[in-house]
Amino acid sequence: MTTDIAAPEAPEAPRPTVSLDGRSGGRKAKNTLATVLVWAAFLLALVPLVWIMWTVLGRGFHVLLSATWWQKDQSGALPPGFDTNVRGMRHALVGTLLMSLLTTVIAVPIAILTAIYLVEYGRGRVARVVSFMVDILSGIPSIVAALFIFAAWVTTFGLKIIPACASLALAMLMIPVVTRSTEEMLKLVPNELREASYALGVPKWKTIVRIVLPTSFSGIVTGVLLGFSRVAGETAPLLLLAAYTPYLNENLFSGSMAALPTLINNQFLSINDPISGQRVWGAACTLILLVLVINLLGRLVGRLAKVKR
Amino acid sequence: MAKRIDVKDLDIFYGDFKAVEGVTMSVEPRSVTAFIGPSGCGKSTVLRTLNRMHEVIPGGRVEGKVLLDDQDLYAPTVDPVAVRRTVGMVFQRPNPFPTMSIKDNVAAGLKLNGVRNAKILDEVVERSLRGANLWNEVKDRLNKPGAGLSGGQQQRLCIARAIAVEPQVLLMDEPCSALDPISTLAIEELVHALKDRFTVVIVTHNMQQAARVSDRTAFFNLKATGQPGHLVEIDDTQTIFSNPTVSATEDYISGRFG
């Protein structure tokens, strides 16, 4: 083998001397510039967030400290300018929770089953159409979703508007959010796990239920809670389908029901009145707190079910 | 327990692409058969048709027959899920279920198929882990997650999981290619022990490994890229490595190819 390879005939060209000490000045400057730009962008993105928190907490947090705020509704409230009590937002908090929960109960099964279909079963044209529909649904303005439910519920079926109608409209907004996030989580499950399960003689549906879903559980929960947060702060469908009322209503299927966003909207009409102002900022603060609590809860659930190491 | 496999005129397709052509061979019960050949020649594809895993891939289909003790695996009445309970498989990369403990991983095949009895499950877990030479290393941490083991241990865990459902045949798709030499040795010794109870088919890129572990060796090749792969010959491992019938086999084994 040694004789086959001919030695190179040309003499080796002199190599340039390479300096190993220190990075070149130009590259160092570019690095510094990029670092500064990245940090500046980060701080700029932080400005609105901090500002919002500052404003809302500064104006509304003291309202949350009163027990009445959590215990009472707005019954007995006098017209703006005459009332001297802030009173409570229990009716709105209960309304928001009930309507958002019903929305979740309607939307999550549909969304998760759609995501399972798209990732595990969907092939060809039908899957493309379904995926496209989900995209369209996520682009629908919330007020249009509310109008659609109004048209179907009242015009077509001739029924009376109830708070659950708002949940139906909100479900239309929640389905695409949860479908997309669940889809991404299911795609992250390695195919090898599915194959390992099939190779043990486990049917496909059982593989999905017992292997794929548990593996992606925490991600799916996170997606559901993001959807819940989005829905809890949604306003337009409530304005159309769940008229504001100052009284507590715990029945989703009759009467009208208040919610935190509609409470804010209602009191905003007289925001220059200090009492109404406190109600607006207090409700805003409560809404942010609610979303925060939901998110923390989600993280906790996600961590408990986390892939063990 | 162990069954023989007869493959007759098997063509394997991915959609319209014919990946493997005209395979006819038999695999003896209670023996180790190795599949060797260059990358892309279809040895893994053939392996995956033996437990109907090939059709899991979209567009995957076969023509021809695979007989497991005279029962055609591709007969229209046969349930692929039942086939996979009879013919187990170990994959190239260790793939324990990440949400499950060591114990649950081994018991997964039984549990997911409806066995609930804790005593039976415990027995099967211990027997399978002993069978996979892993019991002594993990017996004190059966409830710890399977993903926390080393790569070699994970692969033996996967073997334990596969043999826990008592298959007739065990297919192994390059089970050592992601492992270090010491773990490889452990798996090879295990393969040797497994053939007392199972029919083992192993795909390997490592010819020394084929020579060490197998009783019979099948050599696959392909004429050119884009052409279907085919079975060149199958014979006793001794014969294949010392005196093969086809010169292409000798060229491949001795490193003179291409």
Side-chain angles (χ1 to χ4, degrees), chain A residues 91-156:
Chain A
H91 61 313
L93 181 64
V94 168
T96 290
L97 284 175
L98 283 178
M99 284 190 278
S100 305
L101 273 178
L102 182 63
T103 304
T104 308
V105 169
I106 298 168
V108 166
I110 297 173
I112 290 184
L113 289 175
T114 309
I116 289 175
Y117 170 76
L118 286 175
V119 176
E120 306 288 338
Y121 292 95
R123 299 275 174 270
R125 180 175 288 178
V126 185
R128 277 204 303 279
V129 169
V130 171
S131 183
F132 184 57
M133 290 298 182
V134 174
D135 277 342
I136 292 184
L137 205 53
S138 66
I140 287 186
S142 55
I143 192 113
V144 175
L147 277 176
F148 164 73
I149 295 296
F150 180 83
W153 195 263
V154 178
T155 317
T156 310

Side-chain angles (χ1 to χ4, degrees), chain A residues 238-262:
Chain A
L238 302 175
L239 291 176
L240 264 69
L241 298 168
Y244 175 74
T245 162
Y247 308 108
L248 178 64
N249 174 14
E250 289 174 333
N251 188 350
L252 279 164
F253 301 98
S254 85
S256 62
M257 190 179 266
L260 289 167
T262 47

